[in-house]
Amino acid sequence: MADASAKNGHRAGNGARNDRARIWGGIDLGGTKIEAVIVDARGDVLGRARHTTPATGGPGEVVKELYGTLGEAAQSVGIEPAKLAGVGVGVPGAVDANRGTLSHTSNVAGGWDAPYPLAADLGDLMGGGKVVLGNDVQVAVAAEYKLGAGRDHRSVLGVWWGTGVGGGLVLNGVPWRGQGSAGEIGHMVVKPNGARCGCGRRGCLEAYAGRASMERKARAAVRKGEKTLLFDIMRDKKRTRLSSSVWASALKQKDPLATRLIERAIDMLGAAIASVINLLDLEAVVIGGGLGSRLGPIYMGHLQDAMHPHLFITERKPVMRIAELGDLSGAIGAALLAGPRM
């Protein structure tokens, strides 16, 4: 995959020409992968690394892997993590930025119900370095607003379609975080008493559109005897989960189960996004995340069609954009949270 950061001036470099006292780290914790970047004061990416998110071991194991990924990214520019000016971490779930804790995340394995001191634990591994937390999609949307697909607009909804469905808002140029968990579009109810969501509630958008929920539905269908290429493709790609690339390959081969589940997901996404537009009258919608970035260019027309019947003012539709910073938007946004201001 080409480095998406290069296309918007976020150039990977050797770091030799940079003042290392002005270098920050950013980490994006996802359900299947951890992405880390090192950026300068302009937001330019100097180094990056990606690791797999641990599927077992709970929060402690996840924190170790966060540190390992950050260390690899820092090593690529010749700096130790302890020497970074600061580190931001974008995490899925409810964030208390003041306490540096994470709770109520359903897409990262094990033990996150009670507030977990992720910032303090990662800071300890860094030898006491500064670590700040932000919601993963909120920081990714802030990065797209400043540097990417949302930069020409004052009000933006970001929808990150991947393992789960996350959201973020910029209102009149200001990221809106509410009390810490604003923008959770994935937990808007699109069908009362509907499918069970990973959060424990019923009828959430994520229960229909989240990759993890769709995988559970696909496995249940196979147990009932339905035929699909999804799991053959997964094995051929040596994956243990139905990744975005697995879904894309199955759709390309017109697999009926994959097609049905993705089309249902897009219908539910359309209803939820339109409801947010009706409430806030936003200028633009940016679609990101693993599935969003991969399938968005193909299915954007379908998504707009799914939104149309639910829009109150159909003659003033929001501008629809695909995230421009690619897989790095969350990590870049997390780094900006830690210090760089442009």
Side-chain angles (χ1 to χ4, degrees):
M1 183 187 75
D3 188 342
S5 63
K7 98 186 225 202
N8 290 294
H10 296 273
R11 299 169 296 278
N14 61 18
R17 59 184 172 79
N18 293 283
D19 174 7
R20 289 178 178 171
R22 299 282 295 165
I23 293 176
W24 290 262
I27 310 174
D28 180 23
L29 171 60
T32 58
K33 64 180 175 62
I34 297 168
E35 191 90 45
V37 297
I38 308 299
V39 306
D40 63 15
R42 298 176 300 175
D44 286 349
V45 174
L46 310 176
R48 62 183 290 191
R50 176 187 288 189
H51 287 189
T52 301
T53 305
T56 59
E61 199 62 33
V62 170
V63 171
K64 289 178 186 176
E65 202 62 39
L66 291 173
Y67 180 70
T69 314
L70 177 67
E72 184 179 326
Q75 185 178 23
S76 72
V77 297
I79 190 173
E80 294 297 322
K83 298 292 179 65
L84 294 168
V87 173
V89 188
V91 291
V95 174
D96 186 326
N98 292 328
R99 293 185 172 87
T101 60
L102 169 64
S103 59
H104 300 294
T105 180
S106 56
N107 295 319
V108 179
W112 300 93
D113 291 337
Y116 185 87
L118 191 151
D121 280 11
L122 181 58
D124 287 345
L125 291 177
M126 292 173 54
K130 172 190 172 186
V131 177
V132 294
L133 299 188
N135 175 270
D136 57 345
V137 180
Q138 289 175 358
V139 300
V141 173
E144 288 288 342
Y145 173 74
K146 290 182 179 180
L147 303 167
R151 62 186 177 273
D152 294 329
H153 305 282
R154 294 289 291 167
S155 61
V156 176
L157 167 67
V159 180
W160 256 237
W161 182 24
T163 305
V165 182
L169 291 164
V170 178
L171 303 179
N172 197 28
V174 179
W176 178 252
R177 300 185 179 94
Q179 298 180 71
S181 57
E184 286 287 0
I185 191 171
H187 298 291
M188 288 179 61
V189 175
V190 292
K191 186 174 182 180
N193 300 312
R196 177 77 68 180
C197 181
C199 73
R201 297 158 63 237
R202 286 190 176 275
C204 297
L205 170 62
E206 190 169 291
Y208 297 94
R211 193 173 58 211
S213 295
M214 289 193 295
E215 178 169 340
R216 287 192 291 270
K217 184 71 175 176
R219 290 185 184 277
V222 169
R223 287 195 295 271
K224 291 178 182 176
E226 190 164 350
K227 302 297 183 184
T228 180
L229 297 171
L230 280 165
F231 298 100
D232 294 332
I233 295 169
M234 181 188 78
R235 286 186 286 270
D236 289 345
K237 290 179 175 286
K238 296 181 170 54
R239 304 292 173 83
T240 58
R241 304 176 187 178
L242 297 183
S243 65
S244 299
S245 66
V246 171
W247 285 99
S249 295
L251 291 168
K252 190 174 182 179
Q253 296 179 58
K254 302 187 186 305
D255 180 77
L257 178 61
T259 300
R260 188 173 79 246
L261 290 176
I262 290 293
E263 289 184 347
R264 183 180 72 159
I266 290 173
D267 286 343
M268 294 301 193
L269 281 162
I273 293 170
S275 296
V276 176
I277 298 303
N278 291 342
L279 179 66
L280 297 175
D281 198 16
L282 301 164
E283 294 175 31
V285 177
V286 176
I287 305 294
L291 280 170
S293 295
R294 189 175 289 268
L295 301 183
I298 303 167
Y299 282 91
M300 185 62 85
H302 184 159
L303 178 58
Q304 290 172 307
D305 290 344
M307 290 169 58
H308 183 80
H310 306 291
L311 287 170
F312 179 61
I313 302 178
T314 56
E315 64 270 22
R316 191 173 68 235
K317 298 176 183 177
V319 174
M320 304 291 290
R321 296 275 186 261
I322 302 299
E324 292 181 3
L325 303 179
D327 289 344
L328 298 185
S329 57
I332 292 171
L336 299 181
L337 187 69
R341 295 290 183 267
M342 292 155 292

